[in-house]
Amino acid sequence: HHSTDVNSLLSRAPLYDHIFQPFHLRVAHHFLSYSASSSFYVEPSKYKRDMSSMLRPFARGSGASAAFLNRVSNGIGRSSAASASPVVGRLMGTQSGDDAKPPTALAKLHLEDGSTLTGSSFGCHESTTGEVVFTTGMVGYPEALTDPSYQGQIITLTTPMVGNYGVPDRKKLDKFGLPAMFESPKIHASGLIVQDYSHHYSHWKAASSLGDWLKEEGVPGLCGIDTRMLTKKIREKGAMVGRIEVDLDAPPPTSWANPNERHLVAEVSITEPKVYGKGNPIKIMGVDCGMKYNMIRLLVDRGCELTVVPWDHPFAADMHKFDGIFLSNGPGDPTYCKETIEQLKQAISVPESEVKPIFGICLGNQLLGIAAGGEAKKLPFGNRGQNQPVINHATGECYITSQNHGYHIDTTTLGEDYQELFTNLNDGSNEGFIHKSRPYFTAQFHPEYKNGPTDTEFMFDTFLAACKDPKAPVQFPVRKPAPPKPNVKKVLLLGSGGTSIGQAGEFDYSGGQAIKALKEEGKEVVLMNPNIASVQTNMDDKSHNKADHTYFLPVTPDFVEEVIKKEKPDGIVVSMGGQTALNCAVEMYLAGVFEKHDVQVLGTPIQAVIDTEDRQLFSDKLNEINEKIAEGYTAETIDEAVEASKKTGFPLMIRSAFALGGLGSGICVDEAHLRENAKKALATSPQILVERSMLGWKEVEYEVVRDVYDNCVTVCNMENFDPLGIHTGDSIVMAPSQTLSDEEYHMLRETAIRVVKHLGIVGECNIQYALHPESLEYCIIEVNARLSRSSALASKATGYPLAFVAAKLGLGIPLNEVQNAVTKKTQACFEPSLDYIVTKIPRWDMSKFEGVATNIGSAMKSVGEVMSIGRTMEESLQKAIRMVDPSNDGFQPKARFETMDDLLQELKVPTDR
């Protein structure tokens, strides 16, 4: 078999990245490297280099170089160029080579409290000292390391794996002449501490590994450190000075050079003024205390001529030349910037006729606060990360923000002309203040993001609006008024139905959590669920939070109406029983049953459900906000489907409206295949969608929560191990996503929030994307306006009880008033940050049936799943493999392939094996 011409075999069998989507596992070379005892064995290192158009090195491969297949299927049984998928035959060149080796040199981390940790050195192998801090961001290490606010600090990243998507090209510039993917021209952090460093990387924008970049910049990096333990230590004892020591025989330091005792702003600020966007109409002076590049980009893009001046520039004398003053972020103790504070005191003391708007971010907030008479205090360990919840006291709206600071302003010490504008919902610290009559306002968080969420980018628009009309009151975006709270005492909860794929047990968790939430709010709960083999229907005294009345009846319109007549509930919850309950509710809504019996639907309005389920209405809704959806056409007959295929071409995807578990959907490779599948789909659904195939694209989903006040958060994002074409329920899924950069992660997050707000969903929903693996192109696949199987997974993966929270939101309770069930102190308006990896592997029982087709696709066939949690990808994946079937010892070869054709067929056509 070693003499087989592999190139010719591959050319006859185009492949798509089934389980070989660029997901990089140190152990994954076993997929194509079988044990010597197997009857068919391919030594990966023997693959020819001229196969690069079809094969790419398997990143993170250990031992011998590994290779795996990187082709997108042109359709089962077809190979014509006309049917090619958008992603074909291109080598992922932006990835590490086979020669990448894991770090072996050791180094120590000495801490001020006397403790010492030992890890592996993967950056510049030199010693350094800095303040050890932690940040909880799960993406965005290139942006974080180049943030000047980290000057003098050793950053601990809590995210479980770092380096997986490499580092972008440092030489690529944006339209302003700034490094396109970074926040300053260099790394400002003194060092980097991570738990699991991926010495292999792969991303279409990558130019090198993280370790190589650190070496270029002379910055040490340490991996193999228990970052959870280190983070706990910092939380308990506060940020402390530490030293990365490469001389293993050197004793721990006896004295510590605290970087906060240096003038860090003077180290990072420019020395001469510089103008960006020359000629633009709005003239802004920016005081550079360590200004991030994205602040420049956002201001100039909005029509500003931005004159950036050094931190100690005498700008008060030049105020009359500008429309406003912008104060940037920066590192260290704000009291060292005495010259800046003095200039600000002059700037805010001018007569009314000379007032200019002033907007300060991060350190700029602290400097303006001190100038206004306030006191800056050091926080125990600071707020650094991308998931800090903040409330706007002017509007009541909550935002998720990016933060990086160790000091804050004590607003009780501010002058009487100032009032608090923003507050951190976790620790109650001040996040910004505003003058009562003049356009002076601040944000302690980072509305310019990079890295982080874009929720508060509007702050730049608010600032520039004030610059155009400084006498007008400062205005923030006004939300639509919330509807009145539902006045309900008795609630009917629709369960899922009998045991079958797409209903029953997988929604037991959501129903049980909803009962708990409703009972906690003092509501009488009536449950309809015909499935006695569920937790939510337990009626014995040992059951906590059981329903007051339980009806073991089918969830159908006739039976539900009979229960409504008997129990006379005020409200009904329809989003906890999966597609079964949703379809029943839609039918009853259209028939006017709810209105007839004066029953209020709690949570997402039924019209919003219809808008997400009806494929044409869904497409129209997304087009209203210019969102990207796959090219597709609705059809109600087979002939209409065939006519639509002439516009999309083959292969194509058909999807059924109002279907359980993707029933009736699938990839069609020609007209005969389409007619066969359309006939099946239309037998169970009144409408199908014929859409362009995106086979081979990454599939990513976000769990989103929104309340009636328009507060919205994304609780969990997940990435399918399998590319598009396999139903999520039949895919291996990992949380958090493992191949997305900060740009991709937050692009999809921002889209999710915009879509969910536009649709008017209240409670919880799931949005699924197709993301091109080599560009920023994406399409929205669907939105599930209900709790799903993924919701239960996300709840258990993050510790965020989605169904419990959704039930409370359905009662009109704001997100920031629902208690965090984990901490019992904070609230539910937050986004969990994971320091572990969760893997879900589905389980099929097709072996119990003779003659059943074992291939898997866009229609779900799995009957269950397992979920594992690990601190590394290998641990998490290994646990899940062993749990899904007791006969699996772990990640090792199991199947035997007699010929290369057998192997290629197994890779081309995914099955339950």
Side-chain angles (χ1 to χ4, degrees), residues 466-488:
C467 291
K468 293 173 184 176
D469 187 3
K471 297 189 183 301
V474 175
Q475 295 288 337
F476 296 98
V478 179
R479 301 179 297 175
K480 295 179 183 177
K485 277 190 176 183
N487 182 21
V488 296

Side-chain angles (χ1 to χ4, degrees), residues 358-362 365 383 388-403 405 408-412 414 418-435 440-447 455-460 462-463 474-477 711:
I358 301 175
F359 176 33
I361 291 176
C362 193
N365 162 74
N383 286 326
Q388 292 287 334
V390 166
I391 188 167
N392 183 339
H393 293 293
T395 65
E397 193 165 5
C398 300
Y399 316 112
I400 301 299
T401 64
S402 175
Q403 301 198 9
H405 62 274
H408 79 120
I409 291 294
D410 181 355
T411 50
T412 62
L414 284 173
Y418 295 85
Q419 62 188 24
E420 192 163 19
L421 179 58
F422 300 107
T423 300
N424 189 301
L425 287 170
N426 281 347
D427 62 11
S429 61
N430 172 250
E431 293 282 358
F433 57 88
I434 188 170
H435 193 280
Y440 309 151
F441 60 97
T442 66
Q444 182 61 70
F445 49 87
H446 286 265
D455 295 22
T456 54
E457 185 183 347
F458 68 83
M459 294 285 288
F460 289 91
T462 298
F463 172 53
V474 175
Q475 295 288 337
F476 296 98
N711 299 311

Side-chain angles (χ1 to χ4, degrees), residues 8 51 405 683:
S8 63
M51 293 173 58
H405 62 274

Side-chain angles (χ1 to χ4, degrees), residues 208-330:
S208 77
S209 70
L210 173 59
D212 287 344
W213 183 40
L214 293 175
K215 291 169 186 172
E216 282 176 27
E217 299 271 350
V219 176
L222 207 55
C223 64
I225 298 291
D226 186 348
T227 52
R228 179 180 293 176
M229 180 272 289
L230 182 56
T231 300
K232 285 183 176 180
K233 185 185 289 285
I234 295 171
R235 286 184 62 90
E236 292 168 2
K237 300 183 179 181
M240 62 186 83
V241 180
R243 178 172 177 79
I244 295 177
E245 180 60 70
V246 298
D247 182 356
L248 300 181
D249 297 324
T254 54
S255 61
W256 302 86
N258 191 333
N260 289 309
E261 295 173 358
R262 301 182 347 229
H263 198 321
L264 297 176
V265 169
E267 295 178 15
V268 301
S269 178
I270 60 173
T271 56
E272 296 292 334
K274 188 170 183 179
V275 178
Y276 297 90
K278 191 168 182 63
N280 283 347
I282 308 173
K283 313 300 180 184
I284 301 296
M285 180 190 291
V287 182
D288 178 19
C289 300
M291 188 178 295
K292 290 171 63 179
Y293 283 160
N294 214 44
M295 294 177 175
I296 298 172
R297 298 182 189 108
L298 292 178
L299 286 168
V300 178
D301 271 341
R302 284 167 165 75
C304 294
E305 179 183 277
L306 178 64
T307 302
V308 181
V309 300
W311 69 277
D312 56 354
H313 184 81
F315 57 84
D318 296 332
M319 281 176 56
H320 64 281
K321 302 176 184 178
F322 297 90
D323 298 314
I325 299 173
F326 176 72
L327 308 172
S328 84
N329 64 298

Side-chain angles (χ1 to χ4, degrees), residues 47 49 60 108 113 121 132 233 279 352 440 478 502 591 596 749 771 775 857:
Y47 284 134
R49 287 294 175 187
R60 299 192 84 186
K108 291 183 177 181
D113 68 348
S121 172
V132 182
K233 185 185 289 285
E352 288 291 337
Y440 309 151
V478 179
K596 173 184 174 183
R749 178 191 177 276
L771 175 66
S775 75

